[in-house]
Amino acid sequence: ALFRRWYEGSLGSSLQIPLTVHCLHGTGDEEELEAVKLRLQEASSQGAWLLLHNAHTCPALLSQLPTLLESHPPRETWKVWLSACGHAHIPTPLLQSASKVVLDAPKSVRASLLHSLNCLAGHALSCSTRPEWLPLLHNTAMLHATLRLRKETYDHAWTQDYHWTHTHFMDTVSYMMREFRSSEVPGASGVRPVSWCGMRHMITEVFYGSAVTDPTDSIVLTALTEYWIHSGSCRREAGRYHIPSNFYTPGTKLSALTQAVEAASPPLVFTAELCGLYFSLAIHLGWEDYLFPALSVLSTHLSKHASLATPTSHTHPQRTSITGNTQSTRPFRPTQSLPPADKLPSFIPVPSQMPELASVPSPLLRSLACHPTLIGTLPLADTVSKLLEYIPTGWKKEALSERLHRHGADTSYALFLKSETGRMAECLQEIHTSLQVIRSSLLSSSWGDTLPNSAHLVELVLCLLQGKVPQCWLALVGPSAPPASWPLREWVQDLVLRYAFLDRVLAGGLAKTPTYWLGAFFDPQTFLSIMQQNVIRSSSSGKTAMEHLSFHAELTNRDKDHIRDPPPDGELFVYGAYLWGCGYEKTTALELHDIPPKSQVPIGLPVLHLRLSPRSDQPSLPTAVAGGGEHKGPFVFHCPCLASNAGRGLGLRSLFTLTVTNPETTPAKWATRSTAVTLRPF
């Protein structure tokens, strides 16, 4: 639609050059490729313009497109246009040979609001003479901005990646235009009022909510819609952000409305209050996570040029808030599952004491072989030796088989432990093997020549020199591993603690393990499924066997060291979980509460009591999401729990839910704050 609008007002329309639009569907078959060849032939012979829409869906076509274009004789008016989303499958030669126009989405509330208003035609502004019509358009544009930019404010604002575009906004405005026009037509009973509930229903269930399947996301969508779309939101001085006064004058031109938005006081800044309904000075723009590391790499590789300043460490860049203060992006360090820093292994070098990558010569093997004095200045030999002593070698095969046999050879629980211990033993063995190769090379006289020329060993040596986590170790442990931003000291400590927990579970078994650290498992979902199967098999009630069973957790005021006996069947005591987006009060009634805006770090939770129960036995308290309505407290919020924050935004199903009951606070307050529980502190 945007291309057609530009074409109608461009040189192509004035010169009467025909335009052909061919939509690609991404099938990648020969029939689609032949259709494109036919369109190219027709456009070339007629000297017309050809637009290949959604070109990123056909990588095979994009790779052949330069050859296809060269086969046609050039003509003065013949042009081929491609519309595509940014994708890695777009060939580099095609990008280099084409003229590119990048259409980026607005990155702030003000820019999004201005963009939405500019897209409205004149008949949309003059659709109704009601005084609330223009304020409603303003609030609808604000709702579209907050829904789309919410993910930019919170790293994990939605459980799935929703692509809400300009089309959703225009469909909503079109429906509102029909609603206002029909309400102004006199009927038998006079002019009927505008159905605000109907408009909210269409937004939350049809226009924006048709793709929303997660219950938490539905609560957030409904809460934000209730906040912006109701009769009271269109009044003067309503809400924290006041609508500019020009919107209350019917018939105001678009230019006057945009000028009023630009001069709005207070300014429409990009804050978490708009997207999360609470005040926060901390701003997180998603592109900073890409921009600062990219600039750091660029400055490191170009540091030899005299025109560039000496590079400094950009391992943990600073983010700037709207107040001008800086906020550190240093990742959160675990405080519950790991011992204090002074008790961590002291042999692993601290990253701040290690030289940066720019001070280490680029060809590692050749430089260290030619300059053996570097080994004396870097604690590489001591680090490797102590790592081999500290990291366990795993379980012996015969001893592991004997311990697994105690839990039953073919039971689901024994097979699960076999899988978990096998993966842990494989990780530990591979790490030991790599470290032993490096130590053997260090003990030789010409160790640079004896070290195998392997990519992962080269990377391992570099990371050990700098105290960083090697990528090969991260890939070995898998998604359950802490991120690469963790220091090597804490990363190794976490792996050793996970091994110790698995060893304790092997010794005690299901009946003698009082508390479980679900974050230590590679696949905690399988463990919970096994517990669910055991309850169904052991239950003699047909009701339990037929109904859907699910885990629901409750906060306790107990620590794991105070629990000696395991809970009854179908229940679990879980420790090592973390709460994101809010805090909790342990000393009084275990209630959730707001945290300071800049304290966006997870909070370690006490032991959670998990119960497996049928859906009919779960509390059926009101779950109203906005203002209470006809419902009165207490309200229930089912806080989702995932393995880590890496699973948020990918549409992964939560492992269980933490039930939070409050006599006054609705679930919308915690849902809009992206409150969630994770088994890992990242």
Side-chain angles (χ1 to χ4, degrees), residues 155-175:
D155 292 335
H156 311 286
W158 303 101
T159 60
Q160 299 181 20
D161 191 9
Y162 302 112
H163 298 281
W164 287 315
T165 62
H166 173 72
T167 305
H168 298 83
F169 170 73
M170 295 305 299
D171 290 343
T172 304
V173 172
S174 299
Y175 176 80

Side-chain angles (χ1 to χ4, degrees), residues 543-596:
K543 173 183 176 181
T544 304
M546 294 297 295
E547 287 195 30
H548 174 73
L549 300 177
S550 59
F551 278 103
H552 291 267
E554 296 179 356
L555 279 173
T556 69
N557 57 358
R558 309 172 66 180
D559 297 328
K560 67 181 184 66
D561 297 332
H562 299 159
I563 299 178
R564 302 297 181 185
D565 299 323
D569 293 340
E571 300 180 7
L572 283 174
F573 287 132
V574 175
Y575 69 94
Y578 295 86
L579 181 66
W580 298 75
C582 65
Y584 77 99
E585 187 61 40
K586 180 180 178 181
T587 57
T588 56
L590 298 176
E591 294 182 353
L592 300 184
H593 61 80
D594 284 332
I595 58 178

Side-chain angles (χ1 to χ4, degrees), residues 322-383:
I322 60 174
T323 59
N325 299 325
T326 57
Q327 178 188 5
S328 175
T329 61
R330 191 176 184 87
F332 170 73
R333 307 281 184 83
T335 58
Q336 300 294 325
S337 59
L338 297 181
D342 56 350
K343 297 183 180 180
L344 292 173
S346 59
F347 58 84
I348 300 179
V350 181
S352 59
Q353 301 174 353
M354 300 303 300
E356 291 300 319
L357 181 61
S359 64
V360 179
S362 177
L364 177 68
L365 297 180
R366 184 172 66 255
S367 65
L368 293 180
C370 298
H371 305 279
T373 56
L374 284 175
I375 303 175
T377 61
L378 301 177
L380 179 60
D382 294 340
T383 299

Side-chain angles (χ1 to χ4, degrees), residues 18-294:
L19 171 66
T20 303
V21 180
H22 182 75
C23 296
L24 300 175
H25 303 286
T27 58
D29 52 8
E30 291 294 333
E31 182 178 354
E32 186 172 33
L33 184 59
E34 292 297 329
V36 172
K37 291 181 179 180
L38 180 60
R39 293 293 186 182
L40 286 173
Q41 181 65 34
E42 294 176 353
S44 175
S45 59
Q46 300 175 6
W49 286 7
L50 174 63
L51 171 62
L52 299 179
H53 189 49
N54 293 331
H56 61 278
T57 61
C58 297
L61 172 63
L62 294 179
S63 60
Q64 302 180 29
L65 189 58
T67 305
L68 295 176
L69 295 178
E70 292 177 357
S71 61
H72 297 280
R75 298 189 60 176
E76 183 178 358
T77 59
W78 176 50
K79 294 184 182 297
V80 178
W81 304 85
L82 303 178
S83 67
C85 298
H87 203 281
H89 292 162
I90 300 179
T92 302
L94 181 61
L95 293 175
Q96 294 175 346
S97 60
S99 299
K100 296 168 287 295
V101 178
V102 179
L103 180 62
D104 199 4
K107 294 296 185 181
S108 66
V109 173
R110 183 197 297 273
S112 179
L113 181 59
L114 291 174
H115 178 268
S116 299
L117 292 177
N118 288 324
C119 292
L120 295 176
H123 66 278
L125 298 177
S126 59
C127 170
S128 174
T129 58
R130 287 175 175 263
E132 64 267 27
W133 171 243
L134 290 181
L136 177 60
L137 291 180
H138 171 276
N139 288 356
T140 305
M142 291 293 291
L143 174 63
H144 176 73
T146 54
L147 292 177
R148 194 181 57 81
L149 296 176
R150 177 179 165 84
K151 189 175 182 180
E152 301 289 342
T153 306
Y154 299 121
D155 292 335
H156 311 286
W158 303 101
T159 60
Q160 299 181 20
D161 191 9
Y162 302 112
H163 298 281
W164 287 315
T165 62
H166 173 72
T167 305
H168 298 83
F169 170 73
M170 295 305 299
D171 290 343
T172 304
V173 172
S174 299
Y175 176 80
M176 291 179 175
M177 291 173 60
R178 293 192 299 268
E179 175 66 23
F180 269 72
R181 286 171 178 171
S182 61
S183 64
E184 295 178 354
V185 177
S189 58
V191 179
R192 69 174 182 85
V194 176
S195 177
W196 295 94
C197 293
M199 289 189 293
R200 290 194 296 267
H201 173 79
M202 293 297 294
I203 292 175
T204 57
E205 299 295 336
V206 180
F207 299 128
Y208 288 89
S210 58
V212 177
T213 57
D214 185 81
T216 304
D217 290 350
S218 298
I219 294 177
V220 174
L221 176 61
T222 305
L224 293 176
T225 305
E226 290 277 356
Y227 182 81
W228 291 108
I229 310 298
H230 62 91
S231 58
S233 65
C234 298
R235 300 172 184 172
R236 292 179 182 267
E237 307 297 326
R240 188 177 185 88
Y241 291 93
H242 301 161
I243 302 175
S245 58
N246 288 6
F247 283 85
Y248 292 97
T249 304
T252 305
K253 295 183 179 180
L254 179 61
S255 58
L257 297 178
T258 55
Q259 291 178 2
V261 171
E262 293 177 352
S265 179
L268 294 172
V269 295
F270 188 115
T271 63
E273 185 177 8
L274 288 173
C275 299
L277 303 183
Y278 79 106
F279 183 65
S280 174
L281 295 179
I283 297 179
H284 173 213
L285 299 180
W287 48 264
E288 292 182 359
D289 292 337
Y290 163 78
L291 179 60
F292 283 106

